[in-house]
Amino acid sequence: MGGHGTELAVVVVVFGLVTVLGFAASRWRRPESVFEEKWGLEEWGLGGRAFGNGVSFFLLGGDIYTAYTLVALPALVYGLGAAGYFPVAFLAVTYPLIYVALPRMWSVAHVHGFVTPAEFVRARFGSSALAVLVACTTIVATMPYIALQLVGLRAVFEAMGIGGDLPLALAFGLLAFFTFNSGLRAPALIAVVKDLMLMATVLVVVLLLTITQGGWGHVFAVAGAQFARSGGGSLLLPPGAQLSYVTLALGSAMALFLYPHTLTGVLAARNRATIQRSLSTLPVYTLMLGVFALFGFAAIASGVHPAGSNPTTILPQLLQANLNGWGAGMCFAALSVGALVPASIMSIGAANLFTRNIYRVFIRPDATSGQETQVSRTASLIVKLGALAVIIWITPGNAIDLQLMGGVVLLQVFPAVALGLFTNWFHRAALITGLLAGLASGILMLYQIPGTDPGGKVISRHFGGDSWPLAHLGLPTNVTIYAGILALAVNLAVATTGTWLCRRLGILPGTDETHPSDYTADEHDPTTRRMAELIDGVPRRHAKHARRRHLALP
């Protein structure tokens, strides 16, 4: 452990605080009526569907801006320069898209009591088969994303001189048990602590680097000279990489809100206005993310190098080089907790998908609310164990490749989930066929992508990334494009053509159980099936009335 005792002590203390908060969250402003009966899935998995403005802001920020992103982004910029900035670009594109779509998802989910997007798909298109396909695709795509949170956690541990898998397993064990105990309330409460610590980290490190590095003009000059010497990156995006950059940003923006952790955070909000306020203010986090990306350039100017062969350690190394033990320990603690929050929400979202769309539909249709919750709790543990196994048995680089492939896979549920929020024109059989065609073409394109090192040397023939060479189409060019976008184009083409054929052949579509008014319903709409008591920001003089209203609803 060497001279990292102070850093480790700070991290241990913060982990202890987070553990206490995680277990205490099970009774955090919970409605009194819930104590009289077993938890339902809406209480455990969605926090009673009642998070207010402040909690929703931190919860969504905590699960969208993951620890891996904050650790990996400086590493990408350190190695690639401007090309590593794509997460900032795609998040800027994301918010206009989800600001329109997610309030509609919230409304229809509250009217019908949906806990997962796959339930919505089943009701919208009248197809249990399509719903199961959406659920399975989403779960598979989410698993490597959970594992990547461990990559960020491992990078922090390695910077403190802690090797091996045991510390990683212990940290994730704490996450598993307080999530099992408290459900979504645990990451919601911890997200507040995590985000405040991250914001303090950004402020302190930016001020320090500005003072010690001679200003950011000097930082960019040194980084530009280094890229020119190495030939491995640039301060400006190379012309041949522009199409890949734009399509990757667009595809990532379209896929982000399809991940279960994003939708879980949204469905837990108490009303449409809460979602809209949170989404309108979340770009503050994008600004913070852009600052984290600058740390990659600062690492070059500081002469910092990754620890060993793990490039994701560049940010921890930079923090250690510029902060004392206490300051670096606080930053490491913020990054470590930042891995626990999104991983917890992702596992809850994946577990809810399994429980509501596989267990409840095919295994035990007559399951009680308490049985549902117990199954989802157990499934969340299994999901975390699977993610831990992935990160223990494969290298960080392979985990990153798996997550990139997961994004290509997840994007194929876009027609059923995202477009389904606005139209039921597509035929259920055509959507199933299109989704399968998109998955097949996406996996084929990923197979054709070679893996290269930073110098451009081919190190693997297949599954080396997500940028597909257009040369495979017979075009005389070295330009690449994001495989997920092309696979989605195949998906949409098949779904559109298939719908037209089904209509021409007179094949009846599924029954749409939703109504146009469902997509604009709000908190006090009488059609809403269940509106839980508010768990934050509710005046005490209204609590009794709110509880009575909650119990009176069917």
Side-chain angles (χ1 to χ4, degrees):
M1 191 167 63
H4 304 301
T6 303
E7 298 168 358
L8 180 60
V10 173
V11 171
V12 169
V13 169
V14 173
F15 260 77
L17 172 63
V18 163
T19 301
V20 172
L21 287 176
F23 282 100
S26 64
R27 291 179 174 265
W28 174 47
R29 304 186 71 178
R30 214 165 88 189
E32 294 177 6
S33 59
V34 177
F35 292 108
E36 301 169 2
E37 57 184 8
K38 292 183 178 180
W39 278 38
L41 196 56
E42 291 186 346
E43 281 294 334
W44 181 84
L46 293 180
R49 298 185 185 267
F51 291 135
N53 296 326
V55 175
S56 293
F57 172 79
F58 285 111
L59 179 62
L60 287 171
D63 65 30
I64 293 176
Y65 298 84
T66 68
Y68 172 73
T69 302
L70 298 176
V71 170
L73 186 54
L76 281 174
V77 172
Y78 178 88
L80 301 175
Y85 249 85
F86 85 90
V88 180
F90 91 69
L91 284 167
V93 176
T94 296
Y95 288 112
L97 297 177
I98 63 178
Y99 189 87
V100 176
L102 290 185
R104 294 178 65 86
M105 176 62 82
W106 181 94
S107 293
V108 70
H110 272 56
V111 169
H112 293 270
F114 301 146
V115 175
T116 69
E119 289 180 282
F120 159 71
V121 169
R122 183 201 57 76
R124 183 62 151 163
F125 298 102
S127 173
S128 295
L130 178 60
V132 170
L133 186 57
V134 167
C136 292
T137 301
T138 305
I139 293 172
V140 169
T142 303
M143 288 293 293
Y145 208 169
I146 301 174
L148 277 188
Q149 305 315 307
L150 289 175
V151 172
L153 194 58
R154 171 175 275 174
V156 174
F157 286 170
E158 288 182 0
M160 293 188 294
I162 304 174
D165 299 320
L166 181 59
L168 206 61
L170 290 175
F172 228 51
L174 290 175
L175 162 70
F177 284 112
F178 69 62
T179 302
F180 183 90
N181 181 68
S182 305
L184 191 63
R185 283 181 170 84
L189 187 57
I190 295 170
V192 179
V193 177
K194 167 248 184 185
D195 290 349
L196 292 176
M197 291 178 66
L198 282 178
M199 291 175 185
T201 296
V202 169
L203 180 61
V204 170
V205 175
V206 166
L207 291 176
L208 184 62
L209 292 176
T210 302
I211 295 171
T212 60
Q213 298 298 324
W216 289 96
H218 172 72
V219 169
F220 290 134
V222 173
Q226 175 63 27
F227 287 139
R229 287 192 299 270
S230 66
S234 62
L235 291 178
L236 297 177
L237 195 66
Q242 291 175 356
L243 180 61
S244 177
Y245 185 92
V246 170
T247 53
L248 176 59
L250 179 60
S252 300
M254 296 168 69
L256 180 63
F257 82 97
L258 300 173
Y259 278 104
H261 59 291
T262 305
L263 286 172
T264 297
V266 167
L267 296 183
R270 73 186 184 200
N271 54 34
R272 290 170 62 94
T274 296
I275 299 170
Q276 291 166 336
R277 291 189 191 101
S278 298
L279 294 178
S280 64
T281 52
L282 279 179
V284 171
Y285 283 93
T286 306
L287 178 62
M288 181 178 71
L289 187 65
V291 174
F292 264 90
L294 291 177
F295 295 161
F297 294 128
I300 297 174
S302 299
V304 173
H305 300 283
S309 60
N310 187 356
T312 57
T313 59
I314 194 64
L315 177 60
Q317 294 293 104
L318 177 67
L319 296 174
Q320 282 185 329
N322 290 274
L323 297 171
N324 59 24
W326 185 88
M330 289 298 294
C331 295
F332 291 164
L335 293 172
S336 299
V337 176
L340 301 183
V341 171
S344 177
I345 304 170
M346 290 174 191
S347 67
I348 290 173
N352 289 345
L353 280 163
F354 170 80
T355 302
R356 276 293 179 91
N357 301 284
I358 298 175
Y359 175 80
R360 185 66 184 264
V361 174
F362 297 102
I363 301 175
R364 193 163 186 177
D366 59 344
T368 65
S369 179
Q371 290 169 338
E372 269 191 345
T373 305
Q374 192 62 29
V375 169
S376 198
R377 281 173 154 182
T378 304
S380 73
L381 288 178
I382 295 173
V383 166
K384 295 183 187 72
L385 289 175
L388 184 61
V390 167
I391 202 61
I392 289 176
W393 290 337
I394 69 175
T395 64
N398 290 334
I400 295 169
D401 290 337
L402 283 176
Q403 194 276 329
L404 293 174
M405 297 173 199
V408 174
V409 168
L410 184 64
L411 195 55
Q412 306 317 308
V413 307
F414 185 87
V417 177
L419 297 184
L421 288 171
F422 298 93
T423 179
N424 63 355
W425 179 81
F426 290 102
H427 194 282
R428 55 185 175 178
L431 283 172
I432 292 173
T433 307
L435 201 161
L436 294 174
L439 290 175
S441 59
I443 293 172
L444 175 62
M445 284 185 280
L446 291 171
Y447 177 80
Q448 295 174 328
I449 298 172
T452 59
D453 61 16
K457 180 182 178 181
V458 176
I459 57 177
S460 63
R461 296 182 61 186
H462 307 294
F463 297 111
D466 54 9
S467 295
W468 190 68
L470 290 178
H472 287 301
L473 295 177
L475 301 175
T477 179
N478 293 324
V479 174
T480 60
I481 189 171
Y482 177 50
I485 286 290
L486 283 180
L488 179 60
V490 172
N491 185 341
L492 287 170
V494 171
T496 301
T497 303
T499 298
W500 179 80
L501 285 174
C502 287
R503 293 180 183 279
R504 287 294 301 267
L505 295 174
I507 301 175
L508 295 177
T511 302
D512 185 357
E513 298 176 8
T514 69
H515 187 272
S517 62
D518 296 345
Y519 297 88
T520 56
D522 210 341
E523 181 180 12
H524 301 296
D525 193 297
T527 63
T528 299
R529 179 179 295 174
R530 297 182 64 183
M531 286 309 303
E533 188 176 338
L534 306 183
I535 68 171
D536 67 341
V538 68
R540 290 187 178 274
R541 63 179 180 275
H542 295 317
K544 184 175 181 180
H545 170 71
R547 189 179 304 114
R548 185 181 298 115
R549 177 163 51 88
H550 167 69
L551 294 173
L553 289 173

